[in-house]
Amino acid sequence: MNSKLFSLFLILTSVMVYGGLSLAQQNKGNRPNIVYIMSDDHAYQAISAYGYGLNHTPNIDRLAKGGVLFSRATVTNSLCAPSRAVLLTGKHSFINGKVDNEARFDWNQDNFAKELQKNGYQTALIGKIHMDGLPQGFDHSAVLIDQGEYYHPNFVINGKKQQLQGYVTDLTTDMALEWIKDRDPEKPFCLLYHQKAPHREWLPALRHIKTYTNKTIKEPETLFDNFEGRGTAAKTAEMNILKHMNWAGDNKIPPAMMDELGLKEFIAWDKKAYEDNLGRMTAEERATWDAVYNPIMEDFKQRYPSMNGEELMRWRYQRYMQDYLGTVAAVDDGVGQLLDFLEANGLDENTIVVYTSDQGFYLGEHGWFDKRFMYEESLRTPLIVRYPAEIPAGTASNALVQNLDFAPTLLDYAGVEAPKDMQGESFRKLVSQEDTTWRDAVYYTFYEYPSIHMVKRHYGIRTDRYKLIHFYYDVDEWELYDLKEDPQELRNVYDDPSYQTVSQEMRKKLTELRKKYKDSEENDQQFINHTVKH
């Protein structure tokens, strides 16, 4: 047989053998592994690669140096469970049904992990998912119940509840690495590695408490914001560190000391949170904790009677940030363990590693903690992606990507076609710099009101320079911010005559995006009715 005939024979044989398989299945040996790391409420300001100077995260920074750091990644709904539903489905909350933390999530709907499974990927979900029901799309799952606990937490492992001994961040990392070790090495894998930290009530690992309680954290410029120039929503939200943060659960003041000083609970579960959280520790762990925290609380007890409101705000801010950043430290430790493991096992070159959070978080900006608002600190989320095969090291991007894009992007890297009803877009070509064409505006919705923190319902859009927000239900107020002239969003210019043209253009673009994503006033009313009914 001559060479031309032999080549034809090989081509025909390949067609016969692989004709019934997808492209992804034909090239499964070359498909990348995926490790998607999601922490909870991890503000971009608390990652040193973003340059805010609050703390040092050497391992997350190491990831950023090897890949791309997004400076304007955003979420579609800044709340724990809805954000995770958007990640899985690639659809806005009003489409996937998980509009708030209380709504049920339908696991029977499609998600990107199911698509990867169909195309030969091994899949696992380990850590926080904050949605009821056995996760679908995963060969293995080990998930926390609801918010989970920091010390000796309960996990549901493949449907069976178990209490594990240890610190939740370390346990989540250990289980993630163990699953990678035990996988089938002949198949590509996708691991969703989800940390509880740094979610409220911020209990650091014992190895970090002495270091962080001794730090003095830089205050934000707007710590004492009076909300002049803003609307009703900002003025009535219950997220102020001085007025609304829990004394015991959050600041770790013992309930007996609260009573002695006459400190009142803002929320009924304040003291209970303290007792439940610290009550999970062993006697030895509690002794280590008390040796650090008791002197802090005794000092506060002596100072409190003479403290004015400003001094008290500053004390509460430091207490908040010390514990918050202390929990971040263990998350960073886990990222380092993962990166070391991938490198030691020759997996680093062909593994996509994503680091992100379910949303942003207020670290004292505007005097706030928590999230929910469409204002920048809540809307924006950290996002770092490393994939040496395609993404140049040290890349920076200010593109308006969203968590809506994660599912189609990961499917794209895996060589799997995204379902037509996914609303996000793959940013694969964007980060490889093959095609820099991208959207010029993102769409946002928030529904959980009336509820904890009392952030009003709203929706809006953000472009490169402007942000338009509509607050509705029990108000009808519009806010417009010029992010170039007013990056801290201190002045609503919606009614400013000099911004009349901008307001009109943004209203038009908002209408277009609501139509594009299939949102409507009917949707708004539907979810209002659901909340009132339940």
Side-chain angles (χ1 to χ4, degrees):
M1 185 182 294
N2 63 38
S3 59
K4 289 184 178 179
L5 287 174
F6 184 66
S7 297
L8 179 61
F9 172 78
L10 289 178
I11 293 171
L12 290 173
T13 301
S14 297
V15 170
M16 291 172 63
V17 173
Y18 297 110
L21 300 179
S22 69
L23 180 63
Q25 289 169 318
Q26 292 174 33
N27 296 294
K28 68 178 183 179
N30 297 322
R31 288 183 294 168
N33 304 307
I34 299 166
V35 177
Y36 175 90
I37 311 169
M38 177 184 276
S39 52
D40 194 307
D41 292 342
H42 191 178
Y44 57 88
Q45 309 96 290
I47 294 176
S48 44
Y50 280 89
Y52 287 81
L54 296 177
N55 62 333
H56 186 41
T57 51
N59 295 301
I60 300 174
D61 292 1
R62 174 177 156 199
L63 197 59
K65 290 175 184 175
V68 56
L69 182 146
F70 290 89
S71 59
R72 294 195 300 188
T74 64
V75 296
T76 61
N77 183 350
S78 187
L79 201 59
C80 298
S83 179
R84 287 162 173 75
V86 172
L87 152 71
L88 289 168
T89 64
K91 302 173 186 176
H92 275 279
S93 302
F94 50 85
I95 299 294
N96 68 49
K98 188 64 175 170
V99 295
D100 56 31
N101 280 338
E102 302 304 319
R104 295 282 299 181
F105 179 70
D106 181 8
W107 281 103
N108 290 322
Q109 66 184 300
D110 201 7
N111 67 51
F112 85 92
K114 291 182 181 181
E115 294 297 319
L116 290 176
Q117 272 189 323
K118 292 176 190 175
N119 286 271
Y121 268 76
Q122 302 164 90
T123 59
L125 168 60
I126 297 173
K128 180 178 176 181
I129 191 62
H130 200 176
M131 294 189 287
D132 293 336
L134 183 67
Q136 295 183 27
F138 301 95
D139 303 313
H140 175 78
S141 62
V143 298
L144 292 161
I145 300 170
D146 195 38
Q147 300 288 1
E149 304 91 4
Y150 274 103
Y151 282 85
H152 312 297
N154 293 304
F155 276 83
V156 178
I157 301 177
N158 296 323
K160 183 179 178 181
K161 180 180 176 181
Q162 301 178 43
Q163 182 177 8
L164 303 184
Q165 300 302 305
Y167 184 66
V168 66
T169 308
D170 300 338
L171 290 169
T172 303
T173 300
D174 291 345
M175 285 191 286
L177 296 182
E178 196 63 36
W179 182 81
I180 298 176
K181 291 176 187 175
D182 292 342
R183 79 196 190 286
D184 180 351
E186 298 302 314
K187 297 179 180 179
F189 67 85
C190 175
L191 168 65
L192 273 58
Y193 162 37
H194 290 189
Q195 294 287 15
K196 166 186 169 61
H199 193 280
R200 193 182 189 185
E201 284 91 12
W202 316 297
L203 275 72
L206 295 178
R207 65 182 178 275
H208 293 305
I209 59 175
K210 187 175 293 186
T211 298
Y212 281 86
T213 54
N214 281 314
K215 288 183 179 292
T216 299
I217 313 301
K218 180 177 64 176
E219 294 176 358
E221 292 179 9
T222 58
L223 183 63
F224 295 95
D225 193 350
N226 63 8
F227 302 107
E228 182 181 350
R230 263 68 51 80
T232 304
K235 294 171 182 174
T236 58
E238 297 178 351
M239 308 195 314
N240 184 268
I241 292 171
L242 175 60
K243 299 176 182 178
H244 305 126
M245 185 170 276
N246 287 340
W247 293 102
D250 294 334
N251 288 158
K252 314 306 187 296
I253 297 174
M257 187 178 292
M258 280 182 62
D259 294 340
E260 187 178 351
L261 296 176
L263 299 173
K264 304 299 183 184
E265 289 183 303
F266 174 70
I267 294 177
W269 43 262
D270 182 358
K271 294 177 181 178
K272 186 177 186 300
Y274 178 95
E275 300 292 0
D276 288 350
N277 290 335
L278 273 65
R280 302 185 71 85
M281 296 178 177
T282 65
E284 183 179 356
E285 289 169 339
R286 184 61 185 269
T288 301
W289 178 277
D290 287 346
V292 173
Y293 281 82
N294 282 355
I296 297 171
M297 300 310 151
E298 286 298 324
D299 177 71
F300 174 76
K301 179 180 174 181
Q302 298 301 316
R303 294 170 55 199
Y304 175 71
S306 63
M307 293 174 78
N308 60 33
E310 182 177 317
E311 291 169 333
L312 195 54
M313 175 62 141
R314 289 200 155 106
W315 185 88
R316 300 201 77 180
Y317 169 76
Q318 292 299 327
R319 273 283 54 250
Y320 162 42
M321 291 299 295
Q322 289 165 353
D323 288 347
Y324 178 94
L325 296 177
T327 63
V328 168
V331 173
D332 189 71
D333 291 344
V335 172
Q337 287 179 255
L338 172 78
L339 296 181
D340 289 344
F341 176 85
L342 294 177
E343 291 174 11
N345 289 274
L347 294 169
D348 53 317
E349 291 296 319
N350 196 42
T351 299
I352 299 164
V353 181
V354 179
Y355 187 87
T356 189
S357 174
D358 50 357
Q359 63 262 322
F361 211 68
Y362 294 103
L363 303 184
E365 298 88 359
H366 310 294
W368 286 337
F369 67 106
D370 208 69
K371 57 264 184 177
R372 299 165 197 264
F373 274 114
M374 197 187 168
Y375 304 132
E376 287 294 278
E377 293 85 1
S378 168
L379 173 69
R380 285 167 52 192
T381 192
L383 177 61
I384 298 166
V385 184
R386 188 185 77 175
Y387 182 34
E390 290 192 19
I391 302 173
T395 300
S397 174
N398 64 1
L400 294 172
V401 299
Q402 284 194 291
N403 59 344
L404 190 70
D405 304 319
F406 293 167
T409 299
L410 296 176
L411 289 174
D412 189 4
Y413 277 119
V416 177
E417 184 176 355
K420 300 298 183 185
D421 59 353
M422 282 190 175
Q423 297 180 302
E425 303 173 36
S426 171
F427 52 72
R428 180 182 183 179
K429 290 183 179 179
L430 178 70
V431 295
S432 68
Q433 301 175 12
E434 181 180 341
D435 185 355
T436 57
T437 305
W438 195 247
R439 67 168 67 94
D440 63 358
V442 293
Y443 182 58
Y444 180 86
T445 59
F446 179 78
Y447 302 93
E448 193 167 283
Y449 175 87
S451 186
I452 186 172
H453 297 301
M454 297 300 285
V455 173
K456 294 187 182 296
R457 293 169 184 258
H458 58 288
Y459 57 82
I461 59 168
R462 186 204 197 279
T463 64
D464 177 64
R465 177 168 178 174
Y466 300 105
K467 182 183 295 178
L468 178 70
I469 309 172
H470 181 213
F471 292 95
Y472 65 98
Y473 176 50
D474 58 353
V475 293
D476 181 11
E477 296 182 4
W478 291 84
E479 296 183 7
L480 176 69
Y481 294 96
D482 183 338
L483 300 173
K484 180 180 178 182
E485 299 297 326
D486 178 24
Q488 294 179 329
E489 298 169 296
L490 300 178
R491 179 171 171 255
N492 174 19
V493 295
Y494 184 77
D495 292 322
D496 186 327
S498 65
Y499 283 88
Q500 182 178 4
T501 300
V502 174
S503 294
Q504 292 172 347
E505 291 173 350
M506 291 291 283
R507 285 284 294 261
K508 180 181 178 183
K509 184 172 284 291
L510 174 62
T511 300
E512 292 170 351
L513 281 191
R514 276 169 70 85
K515 182 177 180 180
K516 172 184 176 180
Y517 290 121
K518 302 179 182 178
D519 200 8
S520 62
E521 290 184 6
E522 289 75 19
N523 278 348
D524 299 338
Q525 190 59 51
Q526 172 192 341
F527 296 121
I528 289 171
N529 293 342
H530 175 82
T531 300
V532 172
K533 181 178 178 180
H534 292 84

